[in-house]
Each structure stands twice: as C-alpha cells, then as structure tokens.
RNA sequence: UGGGGUAUAGCCAAGUUGGUAAGGCAGCGGGUUUUGAUCCCGCCAUUCGUAGGUUCGAGUCCUGCUACCCCAGCCA
C-alpha cells in the first residue's frame, strides 16, 4: 500500500495494545482465512482491512490462509480469484499463501492424540440419531453408545476411517466433552468426517477431512497467530477453540476475538446467497458490476483505496449493523472527485445545430482535464456545426429554476460558447430531435462582453468527431433494504438494476485511460470502461452518479 | 432464569480511571463556481434501550426490566 491511511482505534486494537503493554505478545500475527468456495465480497474487505491493517500498523505480519477443509464445496478457481482480490485491495500476505490442508498430517496426529487421551471417539450413530442425542437449546443431550468405546478400539476404527474402509456418513470422530453443555458446540462435536472427495490441494490423499472447529484453532497455533479475528457467529465456538488448544500438545495459544460482520443496505453479503445469484443467472457472474463482490466493485469502477476508506469509516465493533449505501458511494466519490480527469459524454442525445457556424467548419478548443487541478493538463476538443446535447437539457419553455437550454434563451456549452436556442424540431411522438441555435463567437473562455448573465452550463459532444458509446447505468440490485430478511430474497431483485444507453463521448478516451481508471463525465457521473469494451464498440460502466440536488428539487 | 452477545442521532461510530455527549455518512440553510459537482461556512443528541439506586456529579458504577442478534451441519 503506497500511502498510510489513518485508521481509528477499535476494541481489538485496544486489546492488542494491552497485550503488547503487558508483554503477553512482542509481535502481532494475524491471518485472513477465507474458504475458497466463492468470491470475496465487501464484507470480506472489512476483515481483510482489519487483519492486514493491524499487521501493518503494528509492524507484524498477516497470513493468507485458505480454510479448505470441505473439498465438496471448494474449487481452485476461487483460490486464484481470492488471491487476486486481496492483492488488488493493496495488501501483501506474509510469505506464500497457506492452506489448512497443509496441516492435514499434523491435524490427523492431534486427532490421534485426543483419542489416546480418551478425549475423542469414533461414533457410528446415524446423523439423525446424533441430532436426537444432542438435545435441544434448553434440554441437555444424551451420551452416545459409542462414547465409552476403549481407546485401542477407537484408534483402530479411526485408522480404518482414514484408510477408506467406511462410507461417508457411516461414522465420524467426535471430541468427548460434555453432552449437557449449554454451548451446543461442546456437546461432543464432530471433528473428523469421512468424505470420499478429490481435494484441490491434496488430491486423493485423504478420505477423512477435519471440521472447521478442530482445524482453525490448530492452524492458528501452527502459524503462530497471536490474534485470531472472526465474526460474531463464532463466539460460542471460541469455547471449543480454546478446548482443543488446551487438550493437545501445542505450545502456541492464539486468542480468538469476534467482531460484527458488515451488512449493507439493498444487497446481500452471504456466500450462500451470492452463489445463488450467480448460479441462477440473476447476474452476469461473480464480477457483475451490480454484485457486492470485490470483483464486481472493481469492474464497476471502485478503486482499492475507496474500499479501504469505506472499511475505516465503518469501524469495527460488536454491534449488529446495516450500513447505508450512501456511505460506500461517498468513499468512491471522494476518491474520484480528486483523481478522475473530466470528460464529456451525452447519454441520451438530441442534435443541436449551430446555424451561424458554416458546415465543415470546426473550432479547436482547449479544455482543462480538471477544473481544480491544473496539473492534470488540458485536452483538445473540436466544436462544429452539429453538436450532441442531452435531451433533458432542453425544454421549449421552463421557469427560471431550469438553468439549461430553453427556446429563445441562452446557455453556456461547457468549455465552449454561449448558444441561444431558436427553434426545435420534433418527431411523430412529439419528442424533440433537433434544436437550432446560434452561438456567440465572443464567449469562448469569457462572459459576454455586454454584461449578459448566462446562468446555465450544459455538456456536449461534437457531432463530427465524437465516438459512439454504450453506457451501462446501475441501480441497487434489490428493492428492499434488507433482502436477506425476505421469504425469498430473489423475489426482491430490482428488475431495473441495469439501464443501457447509447450515446456519444468525446474522442480518444480509450487511448488515454487515466491511471485511476475512471473519468468523470461532467454533470453525469463517474465512469470506467467495461471489460467488454473494444475500440470499435466502447462500453462504459457508471460507477456512481454525481450528487444531484437538481433531481431532489425536481422530484 | 438454556447459553453466548449487543443497545449512544436516520445510518456508521468515538467516549479507558465517574466531571457535564468526538468524527464521518445522510439531511437542512448560506457563500463561491463555465459541472445544479467540487470547495467553503453554519445547523443537526439538555441526552446515551428502559425503570430505579449510589454520588456534589453517571453514557460510564449497582439492581431490575425490555428489545434485537447468534447457537440444536458429518458447513464455515
């Protein structure tokens, strides 16, 4: 990360400060542990910024570890996508990426250790039987008939499990803890299950795979993680995390701390639902610009810095939250406002004919790339007899609040001349197609000499040199603030979340793509080129519109 | 009385030993402006889920309520 961003404190940093002050730790080691079963989303960005941000600020390290204990749901394509997204966000993990599957041999050894200590047993109960014996939230469970199997038998049975002598579901290895515990996860949790599945990292070496609760704490300990940060739903699991570490022969005792996961209005942030959106083709894919995935936000035009800034603005607490989309939008606007060069594009064109400018004649105009930043330089535009302007910027009549082009009135063409509308031509549907006007040649870069005040400014694209382009405008993917709370969240999908427009942009844009990857099309919003754009067929994604107080007045 | 958590403005969120409610987003006024943008300036919690208690003084301490979230996968 190039620049150091100021990060406010939070309860986890205060815990770390205390651990450093007390000497409990000398260095801080964190980890970001995604399961490679889908793409990363903005909620993961919160965790990434937390874990990597802490490592940076405390001059510690942060590992990237794929929590790959369930080969049935995972795929190598997701590990590649995740690595790309973390890097793109601007973070570097310590050394090579890790995999929980790197530790399968050690994990297996610790499982045997528990068996030898009489703290784990192989259970042949069916899943339904196990569920019944688990009890309920208020009633204690009952012991499995296999709970007191002798150690040698358990060792032998676990070896047979490992050797592939049992089918999936036939048996599993359980930790012997307490069937009456008020923590459901402590009622003899399953720590190994049979799974005859090919694993993207270990191939066909294993047919038994460790469960999350058994794997995560040990992986943390093996890697020497000092602070293991996860989300609130794992608070109960912390008891099991600590139990495993205490009952196996491992020196490192990492501590788990939980923070609340991010919820964003008008979208969903659960892997399960995002997978469904992709698999049922409600969106184009994981990187659909309407998706809250890192890949989707990237394609939409969000910058890494804007996402990091969002994560610092939302903070880290244990409170359930629902963040407004305006918070995210403010972050990208703040970034692009200062870093995106300006350009002009007309999304819904009508023709403006300048009658006192002869056909074939063209005036060269030098326009600043940024009104508040001269260092961004200028560009050359040509201004000819036929110009494209936005349909909504012309009205045959209007009151004085409408500061745009009106018949018999004047308006400034951005970066160019003052023009006066003379008459309009309409089609069969009474829609204006062409406006005829005259321009004042003495108004380039200055106000009219006679003191006339022209309040409005509208943008335009030269008809002779402008390039045709498609503009893809995105709206929220869902019609309700919290789609996850719906009976069927897909029923709440906004059918108008994508609007496609065909218009014009000033020439040469794709030959001078700015470093930030985006432009501000003045008066309309921030745009970037879509991955499907070609020099013959330009396609722009609107990242976010400009703040629009006029729309508020009108609406 | 299963257990684990959380309650500060429309949203996010500071508030560490009790000393008189940061900041951001949104919103609302006003100024500048060749983007109805940006920028600037101002406003926006007599009150911290609620009822009591302790105290000269409570968002912070104590007690009782209430609301919401999580836990009964061989998912993570």
């Amino acid at each position: 990360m190039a620049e150091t961003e100021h990060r406010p404190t939070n309860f986890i940093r205060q815990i770390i400060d205390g651990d450093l002050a007390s000497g409990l730790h000398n260095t801080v080691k964190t980890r970001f542990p995604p399961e490679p079963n889908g793409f990363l989303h903005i909620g993961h960005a919160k965790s990434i910024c937390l874990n990597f941000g802490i490592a940076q600020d405390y001059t510690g390290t942060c590992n990237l570890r794929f929590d790959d204990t369930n080969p049935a749901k995972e795929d190598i394509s997701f590990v590649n996508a995740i690595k790309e997204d973390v890097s793109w966000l601007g973070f570097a993990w310590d050394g090579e990426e890790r995999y929980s599957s790197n530790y399968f041999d050690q994990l297996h050894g610790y499982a045997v250790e528990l068996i030898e200590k009489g703290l784990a047993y192989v259970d042949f109960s069916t899943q339904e039987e196990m569920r019944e014996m688990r009890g309920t939230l208020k009633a204690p469970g009952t012991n499995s008939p296999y709970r007191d199997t002798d150690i040698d038998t358990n060792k032998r049975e676990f070896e047979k499990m490992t050797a592939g002598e049992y089918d999936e579901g036939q048996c599993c290895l359980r930790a012997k803890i307490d069937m009456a515990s008020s923590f459901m996860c402590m009622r003899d949790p399953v720590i190994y299950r049979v799974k005859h599945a090919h694993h993207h990292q270990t191939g066909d070496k294993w047919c038994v795979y460790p469960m999350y609760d058994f794997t995560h704490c040990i992986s943390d300990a093996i890697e020497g993680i000092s602070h293991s940060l996860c989300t609130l739903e794992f608070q109960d699991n912390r008891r099991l995390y600590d139990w495993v570490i205490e009952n196996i022969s491992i020196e490192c005792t990492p501590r788990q701390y939980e923070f609340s996961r991010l919820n964003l209005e008008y979208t969903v942030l659960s892997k399960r639902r995002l997978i469904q959106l992709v698999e049922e083709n409600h969106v184009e894919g994981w990187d659909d610009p309407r998706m809250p995935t890192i890949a989707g936000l990237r394609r939409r035009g969000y910058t890494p810095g804007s996402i990091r800034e969002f994560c610092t603005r939302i903070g880290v607490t244990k409170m359930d939250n629902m963040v407004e989309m305006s918070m995210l939008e403010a972050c990208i606007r703040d970034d692009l406002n200062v870093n995106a060069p300006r350009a002009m594009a007309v999304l819904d064109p009508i023709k403006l004919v300048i009658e006192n400018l002869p056909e074939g004649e063209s005036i060269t105009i030098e326009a600043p790339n940024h009104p508040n930043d001269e260092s961004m330089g200028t560009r050359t535009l040509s201004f000819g007899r036929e110009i494209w302007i936005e349909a909504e910027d012309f009205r045959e009549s209007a009151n004085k609040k409408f500061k745009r082009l009106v018949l018999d009135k004047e308006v400034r063409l951005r970066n160019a001349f003052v023009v006066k509308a003379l008459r309009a031509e309409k089609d069969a549907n009474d829609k204006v197609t062409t406006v005829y006007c005259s321009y004042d040649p003495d108004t380039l870069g200055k106000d009219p000499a006679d003191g006339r005040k022209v309040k409005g400014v509208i943008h335009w694209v030269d008809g002779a040199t402008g390039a045709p382009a498609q503009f893809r405008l995105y709206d929220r993917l869902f019609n309700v603030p919290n789609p996850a709370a719906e009976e069927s969240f897909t029923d709440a999908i906004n059918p108008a979340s994508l609007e496609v427009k065909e218009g014009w942009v000033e020439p040469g844009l794709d030959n001078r793509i700015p470093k930030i990857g985006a432009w501000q099309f003045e008066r309309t919003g921030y745009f970037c080129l879509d991955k499907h754009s070609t020099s013959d067929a330009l396609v722009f994604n609107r990242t976010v519109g400009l703040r629009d107080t006029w729309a508020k007045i009108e609406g």
Side-chain angles (χ1 to χ4, degrees), chain A residues 333-363:
Chain A
R333 285 195 187 109
D334 284 355
D335 188 352
L336 265 19
N337 176 49
V338 340
N339 295 309
R342 307 293 103 137
M344 293 194 285
V346 173
L347 280 55
D348 189 12
I350 59 173
K351 191 170 288 182
L352 183 67
V353 177
I354 298 156
E355 294 191 308
N356 56 339
L357 187 59
E359 197 131 9
E361 195 166 307
S362 178
I363 298 167

Side-chain angles (χ1 to χ4, degrees), chain A residues 498-511:
Chain A
L498 169 62
E499 183 182 5
V500 179
K501 300 222 171 241
E502 302 287 345
W504 302 86
V505 287
E506 60 178 70
L509 249 32
D510 59 330
N511 291 324

Side-chain angles (χ1 to χ4, degrees), chain A residues 167-407:
Chain A
D167 294 333
E168 290 185 17
Q170 196 171 162
C171 59
C172 60
L173 183 70
R174 292 227 261 171
K176 188 193 287 189
I177 307 180
D178 178 8
M179 289 305 293
S181 175
S182 51
F183 293 101
M184 297 301 291
C185 66
M186 297 297 269
R187 318 245 266 223
D188 289 11
V190 172
I191 58 176
Y192 258 93
R193 79 285 215 186
V194 176
K195 218 155 205 144
H196 293 282
H198 184 81
H199 190 285
H200 54 95
Q201 299 299 321
T202 60
D204 298 310
K205 178 177 178 183
W206 300 91
C207 60
V208 290
Y209 291 93
M211 298 287 287
Y212 164 84
D213 285 302
F214 184 67
T215 306
H216 206 92
C217 51
I218 295 176
S219 301
D220 283 343
I222 289 171
E223 294 178 10
I225 300 303
S226 58
H227 302 266
S228 181
L229 314 178
C230 63
T231 43
L232 250 30
E233 64 270 28
F234 293 102
Q235 287 177 117
D236 286 0
N237 300 246
R238 186 175 67 242
R239 278 71 186 186
L240 180 50
Y241 184 105
D242 291 340
W243 184 93
V244 172
I245 293 297
E246 282 165 24
N247 285 285
I248 63 172
S249 312
I250 200 161
E251 342 68 59
C252 184
T253 56
R255 288 292 164 195
Q256 173 183 302
Y257 298 95
E258 310 87 11
F259 61 93
S260 55
R261 56 186 304 149
L262 169 68
N263 293 296
L264 234 200
E265 281 191 340
Y266 297 101
T267 190
V268 291
L269 291 181
S270 78
K271 282 261 192 82
R272 191 209 109 208
R273 293 190 181 85
L274 293 174
I275 288 170
Q276 189 180 340
L277 288 175
V278 172
E279 291 185 344
E280 294 178 1
N281 297 309
H282 293 109
V283 293
E284 275 182 33
W286 287 100
D287 70 346
D288 186 299
R290 294 165 295 184
M291 289 282 272
T293 51
I294 303 302
L297 290 166
R298 176 168 60 230
R299 184 172 165 198
R300 173 84 169 252
Y302 275 78
T303 58
S306 71
I307 294 173
R308 277 185 250 122
E309 173 63 16
F310 173 72
C311 291
T312 111
R313 289 190 193 182
I314 59 175
V316 176
T317 68
K318 302 177 84 148
M319 290 192 243
D320 291 326
N321 60 77
M322 179 65 77
V323 176
E324 292 175 348
M325 202 55 100
S326 62
M327 188 89 86
L328 218 206
E329 292 174 343
C331 293
I332 187 59
R333 285 195 187 109
D334 284 355
D335 188 352
L336 265 19
N337 176 49
V338 340
N339 295 309
R342 307 293 103 137
M344 293 194 285
V346 173
L347 280 55
D348 189 12
I350 59 173
K351 191 170 288 182
L352 183 67
V353 177
I354 298 156
E355 294 191 308
N356 56 339
L357 187 59
E359 197 131 9
E361 195 166 307
S362 178
I363 298 167
T364 296
I365 291 171
E366 203 68 3
N369 288 326
H370 193 117
N372 310 319
D373 183 359
E374 282 188 22
S375 75
M376 293 185 82
T378 62
R379 65 194 190 280
T380 303
L381 300 173
S382 48
F383 182 84
R385 179 182 169 87
E386 295 198 344
I387 294 288
W388 296 111
I389 62 168
E390 213 71 70
E392 64 172 22
D393 284 341
F394 172 76
R395 286 184 189 174
E396 293 181 87
S397 63
N399 62 30
K400 43 260 136 251
K401 289 178 92 174
F402 185 77
K403 307 192 301 185
R404 306 182 186 190
L405 188 60
V406 179
L407 238 34

Side-chain angles (χ1 to χ4, degrees), chain A residues 519-546:
Chain A
W519 295 268
Q520 182 198 94
F521 290 157
E522 290 186 289
R523 302 211 314 133
T524 103
Y526 296 98
F527 290 75
C528 64
L529 283 173
D530 185 68
K531 68 175 185 182
H532 294 312
S533 184
T534 67
S535 54
D536 294 330
L538 297 174
V539 179
F540 290 94
N541 290 322
R542 185 175 67 187
T543 307
V544 65
L546 261 29

